[in-house]
Amino acid sequence: MSSTQGQVIRCKAGKPLVIEEVEVAPPQKMEVRLKILFTSLCHTDVYFWEAKGQTPLFPRIFGHEAGGIVESVGEGVTDLKPGDHVLPVFTGECKECRHCKSAESNMCDLLRINTDRGVMIEDGKTRFSKNGKPIYHFLGTSTFSEYTVVHVGCVAKINPAAPLDKVCVLSCGISTGLGATLNVAKPTKGSTVAIFGLGAVGLAAAEGARIAGASRIIGIDLNPSRFNEAKKFGITEFVNPKDHDKPIQEVLAEMTDGGVDRSVECTGNINAMISAFECVHDGWGVAVLVGVPNKDDAFKTHPVNVLNERTLKGTFFGNYKPRSDIPSVVEKYMNKELELEKFITHQVPFSEINKAFEYMLGGEGLRCMISMEN
């Protein structure tokens, strides 16, 4: 790999329908250039590809859930070297700001998620180009490319024995759901947990409840076809709001003698968020919001629900600090405490990346693994 250090690399990068050869500049100060080996498709990629995000910015290379190898490092990078196995992460950890120094937060001042920024922090420029014209970055990662440049603070160095085609799903959705339960909801052994939304993130939250020893894990979803598959992730009971003529929080309260001990909301639907809060038991119930709402949504509940000692929490990336914590989540997989294979329902070569989009838009499966080397 050292033969390419300091040189511009020409490689293939894709968005739906189009794979182009682009130029990837060398990493600058506090940056690393990565060779991406595997990437998977997350719904956030589709959301911004459809230009539903805040500021459509094109041309852009999407992708943010991936695993790869360090190809070269820029000035000032000391904790990574060429050949290291890594997961690029859409948010970062500078290790210097108040958030990074706090044991309670992972919302780095410098590197927290920015969906609008399409350039690198160091010089405000992009590292991708084609025929001299800039191509923009996405979430600081842009993993739908054979090579990408990422800020060092957004790169988690992991066990080189870990299979990148499995653990790469920990760089976004699976860690988000898992951490929402284990790090934020913190259900105790034998407790009752409700999971709203049984997509990949919700099922990862269920997996967290299973690992924590919850006795009842109730899955709530409008799609009954998800129910059977969800049993693999620890879901013990299913509720479809369409089957009831009363608010789902009332149904759950009746099922659980007054409410669940913990709930985790993974849909982004404002009504599901309110239900997730109102379905937890008074006195000790904790509800955790994971889903991203629409910008005009407002959360409304009666203040008595709070006064009666229910707790409402939010979480971002499962409260994991990317560099400090994700390597240990990878070890959970290596120690067989955490199963990842069941999240990966499809596999395609990079040349067929459009199929991954078709699977997701069709509601098929959970994660589609894209191999960059056909």
Side-chain angles (χ1 to χ4, degrees):
M1 283 193 190
S2 59
S3 61
T4 55
Q5 189 167 337
Q7 301 172 24
V8 169
I9 290 177
R10 288 179 181 271
C11 68
K12 293 184 178 67
K15 65 174 184 175
L17 310 180
V18 181
I19 289 184
E20 302 270 10
E21 186 174 88
V22 300
E23 295 172 349
V24 186
Q28 302 302 305
K29 185 177 179 182
M30 300 308 288
E31 296 172 1
V32 292
R33 187 161 58 183
L34 309 178
K35 179 178 175 60
I36 299 297
L37 297 182
F38 297 94
T39 185
S40 52
L41 180 63
C42 171
H43 193 267
T44 305
D45 297 306
V46 177
Y47 182 75
F48 281 88
W49 165 59
E50 293 177 331
K52 291 179 180 175
Q54 290 94 318
T55 308
L57 183 65
F58 298 105
R60 199 171 204 180
I61 296 174
F62 288 106
H64 65 281
E65 197 173 83
I69 296 174
V70 175
E71 176 269 338
S72 59
V73 303
E75 178 192 341
V77 176
T78 57
D79 54 351
L80 289 171
K81 64 184 186 304
D84 283 345
H85 286 223
V86 296
L87 302 182
V89 182
F90 64 89
T91 187
E93 181 187 355
C94 72
K95 298 195 175 185
E96 299 295 329
C97 70
R98 287 180 305 162
H99 285 277
C100 287
K101 289 180 177 178
S102 165
E104 298 180 45
S105 175
N106 66 339
M107 301 193 71
C108 176
D109 282 330
L110 179 68
L111 299 168
R112 72 173 63 177
I113 186 173
N114 185 321
T115 57
D116 292 344
R117 187 176 60 233
V119 294
M120 299 301 289
I121 290 174
E122 170 62 22
D123 57 5
K125 295 178 181 177
T126 172
R127 303 291 174 257
F128 299 113
S129 62
K130 180 175 173 63
N131 300 327
K133 294 183 178 177
I135 297 173
Y136 296 103
H137 297 250
F138 177 62
L139 298 185
T141 50
S142 290
T143 62
F144 292 167
S145 175
E146 293 170 328
Y147 290 87
T148 189
V149 176
V150 181
H151 191 285
V152 67
C154 298
V155 179
K157 180 181 175 181
I158 63 165
N159 183 344
L164 289 170
D165 61 335
K166 306 294 189 298
V167 298
C168 83
V169 296
L170 291 173
S171 65
C172 178
I174 309 312
S175 292
T176 295
L178 187 74
T181 303
L182 293 177
N183 298 337
V184 188
K186 297 180 179 176
T188 56
K189 191 172 178 64
S191 59
T192 303
V193 180
I195 308 292
F196 285 75
L198 300 179
V201 175
L203 292 175
E207 184 83 348
R210 182 189 67 77
I211 291 169
S215 61
R216 296 176 71 186
I217 306 173
I218 305 168
I220 299 101
D221 201 290
L222 297 171
N223 183 352
S225 68
R226 288 180 163 173
F227 289 172
N228 211 34
E229 187 73 11
K231 291 176 186 173
K232 296 179 187 175
F233 300 84
I235 296 288
T236 58
E237 299 157 72
F238 307 99
V239 181
N240 186 338
K242 290 180 182 175
D243 295 339
H244 301 273
D245 56 7
K246 63 176 73 171
I248 195 65
Q249 51 267 50
E250 292 181 20
V251 175
L252 291 166
E254 289 173 7
M255 290 173 63
T256 57
D257 191 24
V260 298
D261 301 308
R262 302 287 186 266
S263 71
V264 185
E265 185 285 323
C266 303
T267 71
N269 178 287
I270 190 65
N271 293 317
M273 293 180 179
I274 294 166
S275 296
F277 175 57
E278 294 183 353
C279 82
V280 299
H281 206 289
D282 59 8
W284 61 78
V286 178
V288 178
L289 305 186
V290 179
V292 179
N294 292 326
K295 60 180 171 62
D296 297 326
D297 284 339
F299 188 97
K300 295 179 181 178
T301 191
H302 199 282
V304 165
N305 289 321
V306 181
L307 294 171
N308 284 344
E309 300 178 9
R310 293 178 179 87
T311 301
L312 179 65
K313 291 187 171 188
T315 181
F316 171 69
F317 191 51
N319 276 44
Y320 287 120
K321 295 177 189 280
R323 298 161 84 181
S324 300
D325 298 336
I326 293 304
S328 64
V329 183
V330 169
E331 291 309 309
K332 279 184 185 291
Y333 168 76
M334 297 298 283
N335 297 334
K336 296 187 166 51
E337 297 170 51
L338 172 65
E339 297 176 38
L340 296 178
E341 286 83 357
K342 57 193 177 187
F343 288 98
I344 301 164
T345 51
H346 297 87
Q347 299 184 34
V348 297
F350 188 41
S351 59
E352 296 177 22
I353 189 172
N354 286 328
K355 279 190 179 175
F357 277 76
E358 288 169 15
Y359 292 141
M360 181 158 282
L361 292 169
E364 297 178 48
L366 297 173
R367 280 291 187 265
C368 181
M369 188 60 56
I370 300 160
S371 172
M372 303 304 284
E373 297 180 332
N374 293 344

